Amino acid sequence: MSIDPTLIIYIAIFAGIVLLVEGVYLLIFGRSISLNSRLNRRMEKLEKSENRAEVIETLRKEISRHQGTAGIPFYSLLAEKAVKGKIAFSPIALIGLMGVLGLVAFMVLSVMTEAALVLRAGLSGAMGVGAIWFWVSSKAKKRVDLLESQLPDAIDLIVRGLRVGHPFVQALSAAAREIPDPLGTELGLIADEAAYGRDMGEALMAFAQRLDMQDLRFLAVAVTIQQQSGGNLADILDGLSKVVRARFKLFRKVRAITAEAKWSGMFLSAFPIGAMIMISLIKPDYYDDVKETALFIPMALVVFALLGINVMYMRKMVNIKV
């Protein structure tokens, strides 16, 4: 039993397509999508333009680019992740990319493999859609993780502004100038909208719902309650900042404690496959005596099913919610 190199070709093609998407994204949008610049995009745009209303409108269009796409078949499933990742490609561009990547995959498969036409067409379509899905999901996770890590520092800056006597909108605006992207631009846009008359609690809650972040919901609720019933908002937000930091600290502790179990699970899950590959490479005829028997295929399917169940249970055992 020898390893079919076609599987390796499929994996290599899929990885190449994902890298191609990232390369095209960076080539087209470049620095405008950078998340590590000290000066956030909102501040850069305000420095270049005297018209704050135009800057607000531009940023709002960027945020709402992937909202309201429920009518587009299939894409509505991807829209939530695209919103979280703030993908600069438009919905039509992403759908077009799926088609282009599927065509590229079909051409590469036609050159490098001898698979049937139907199989190549199906695989190329799955690769085009899967590459975009995987890429958008990774972008969304990276951005949300960065937002969560920036939030405690932003709340601390707001608390300092409140304690020296600034109103909440001004304290939020000052924090937005200090915090880099992605949170800096988001908070600055909320402050600008509030300055133009939008309810602050409503703007914060919309932001929290768009990103599905529980800590942002707490912030929005705290601001809304303070607006309606009064109270010391600085102390409330200071407590919220401590809770968020403590939760992150606990999460990191849990991740460290479960690291050994995770790696053990990964090893136990990958070992049978690795052993099969090594046996096939070292002794290709190892399975010749049994692979023609009637039970070989059913038992192989049972083994892979048990392996899949093992992976799911291992993940469930170490996936501790904080």
Side-chain angles (χ1 to χ4, degrees):
M1 179 180 178
S2 58
I3 297 296
D4 189 356
T6 306
L7 180 61
I8 300 176
I9 294 174
Y10 292 159
I11 296 173
I13 293 173
F14 182 79
I17 289 175
V18 175
L19 293 176
L20 178 62
V21 177
E22 180 68 14
V24 171
Y25 193 60
L26 293 175
L27 180 64
I28 295 176
F29 298 103
R31 192 170 180 273
S32 65
I33 58 172
S34 176
L35 297 180
N36 56 8
S37 176
R38 290 190 176 184
L39 186 65
N40 58 59
R41 290 189 65 240
R42 170 179 167 269
M43 296 303 299
E44 289 182 349
K45 286 182 174 294
L46 289 175
E47 286 186 355
K48 296 176 182 177
S49 174
E50 296 291 336
N51 194 332
R52 174 166 295 198
E54 291 183 359
V55 175
I56 295 174
E57 187 63 24
T58 300
L59 294 176
R60 291 185 68 178
K61 286 181 179 178
E62 291 178 359
I63 289 172
S64 62
R65 181 180 288 118
H66 297 277
Q67 294 177 340
T69 56
I72 303 178
F74 173 75
Y75 185 79
S76 57
L77 302 175
L78 187 63
E80 182 180 351
K81 295 180 182 296
V83 168
K84 290 181 180 179
K86 201 178 179 182
I87 303 300
F89 285 130
S90 66
I92 301 301
L94 279 179
I95 294 174
L97 268 176
M98 291 180 186
V100 171
L101 293 175
L103 181 60
V104 171
F106 181 81
M107 294 172 62
V108 176
L109 287 171
S110 299
V111 172
M112 301 186 66
T113 67
E114 297 180 354
L117 178 62
V118 176
L119 180 60
R120 278 180 286 152
L123 282 174
S124 59
M127 286 183 180
V129 175
I132 293 295
W133 186 280
F134 176 81
W135 178 76
V136 171
S137 298
S138 63
K139 285 289 184 182
K141 185 179 186 306
K142 179 181 178 181
R143 187 168 182 268
V144 171
D145 289 345
L146 189 53
L147 282 164
E148 288 180 339
S149 66
Q150 290 178 317
L151 185 59
D153 292 334
I155 296 176
D156 287 342
L157 289 173
I158 295 172
V159 170
R160 291 172 193 170
L162 292 173
R163 284 180 172 165
V164 298
H166 295 310
F168 182 77
V169 175
Q170 188 173 346
L172 182 66
S173 181
R177 288 194 294 269
E178 300 295 329
I179 298 294
D181 277 339
L183 187 58
T185 295
E186 296 282 0
L187 293 182
L189 179 59
I190 292 172
D192 289 339
E193 289 178 337
Y196 276 86
R198 187 179 186 184
D199 181 73
M200 177 61 73
E202 177 188 336
L204 286 170
M205 184 58 72
F207 179 38
Q209 291 175 348
R210 175 157 47 87
L211 295 176
D212 193 22
M213 285 178 56
Q214 193 65 35
D215 296 329
L216 279 174
R217 288 193 178 95
F218 292 151
L219 175 61
V221 170
V223 172
T224 302
I225 292 175
Q226 193 274 338
Q227 287 178 338
Q228 295 175 354
S229 59
N232 192 332
L233 184 58
D235 289 344
I236 296 173
L237 295 184
D238 185 48
L240 176 60
S241 175
K242 291 178 181 178
V243 169
V244 174
R245 291 185 187 277
R247 191 171 69 83
F248 283 158
K249 183 178 180 180
L250 179 60
F251 174 75
R252 294 187 183 100
K253 186 180 294 186
V254 169
R255 186 168 58 181
I257 293 172
T258 58
E260 181 180 357
K262 287 182 179 180
W263 281 103
S264 298
M266 291 170 60
F267 174 78
L268 291 174
S269 301
F271 180 77
I273 298 176
M276 183 188 70
I277 293 174
M278 291 301 297
I279 291 173
S280 300
L281 292 176
I282 295 172
K283 190 173 175 59
D285 59 347
Y286 184 81
Y287 297 102
D288 288 352
D289 294 337
V290 296
K291 69 178 183 180
E292 300 298 334
T293 61
L295 290 177
F296 181 75
I297 298 298
M299 292 305 298
L301 294 175
V302 169
V303 169
F304 279 106
L306 291 175
L307 183 60
I309 294 172
N310 168 70
V311 172
M312 289 189 293
Y313 269 91
M314 284 288 185
R315 288 180 61 86
K316 190 174 183 62
M317 288 172 63
V318 298
N319 186 22
I320 301 175
K321 300 294 183 180
V322 179

